[in-house]
Amino acid sequence: MVSTPRFRPFSPAWNAALIGVIVSLPVITVVNWLPESESTVGAGMMIFGAFIAGAVAAVRSTDPDAAGLRAGFLGGVLELVIFAVTTGTTAAWPLSRVAFFAFAAGAVLCLASLFGLGCGRVGGWVVRAVASRWNPTASTS
């Protein structure tokens, strides 16, 4: 019997990251309702989205660090897009401003990804710790 190959458009880490980012949107909305909240959607994706992505990845036996890194990257990309749209970027920027924006964008994406990696690791750790409490034979590593 010949089986047809399965086509997977995204890797399991990207699937967990996308689930984490989408599920974090209502959480970000609630956080923005709090008094004196200065939270942004991209920052919420880096924190809550990466945490949820790490938790989802741990449940699915995928690397939570990779899922958190990707969710942090998505949050950083969204923040850069929002910044570029709201600051009124024009084609008449001098070359020095374009070079600075490109350098700053690279730094933001690197830092957002690392922040997401940390939050994803914490999310995976929390799920494993809770699972080990419910099931003593579960792995806590």
Side-chain angles (χ1 to χ4, degrees), residues 23-89:
V23 170
S24 71
L25 292 176
V27 175
I28 297 165
T29 303
V30 170
V31 167
N32 280 333
W33 285 343
L34 295 174
E36 302 296 327
S37 175
E38 297 292 328
S39 176
T40 62
V41 176
M45 286 180 177
M46 284 183 259
I47 297 170
F48 302 117
F51 181 87
I52 294 168
V56 168
V59 168
R60 293 184 174 184
S61 299
T62 306
D63 186 16
D65 296 350
L69 180 102
R70 286 162 173 81
F73 177 78
L74 291 173
V77 168
L78 182 66
E79 277 299 313
L80 287 174
V81 168
I82 290 171
F83 176 77
V85 169
T86 58
T87 57
T89 58

Side-chain angles (χ1 to χ4, degrees), residues 50-59 62-68 116-134 138-141:
F51 181 87
I52 294 168
V56 168
V59 168
T62 306
D63 186 16
D65 296 350
L117 181 131
C119 290
R121 181 173 287 184
V122 170
W125 174 78
V126 167
V127 165
R128 288 186 183 127
V130 170
S132 69
R133 301 278 186 221
W134 285 340
S139 170
T140 59
S141 60

Side-chain angles (χ1 to χ4, degrees), residues 7-8 12 15 19 21 43 49 51 62 64 83 90 95 104 107 113 122 124 138:
F7 175 71
R8 298 191 105 186
N15 283 335
I19 290 170
V21 165
F51 181 87
T62 306
F83 176 77
T90 63
L95 184 59
S113 298
V122 170

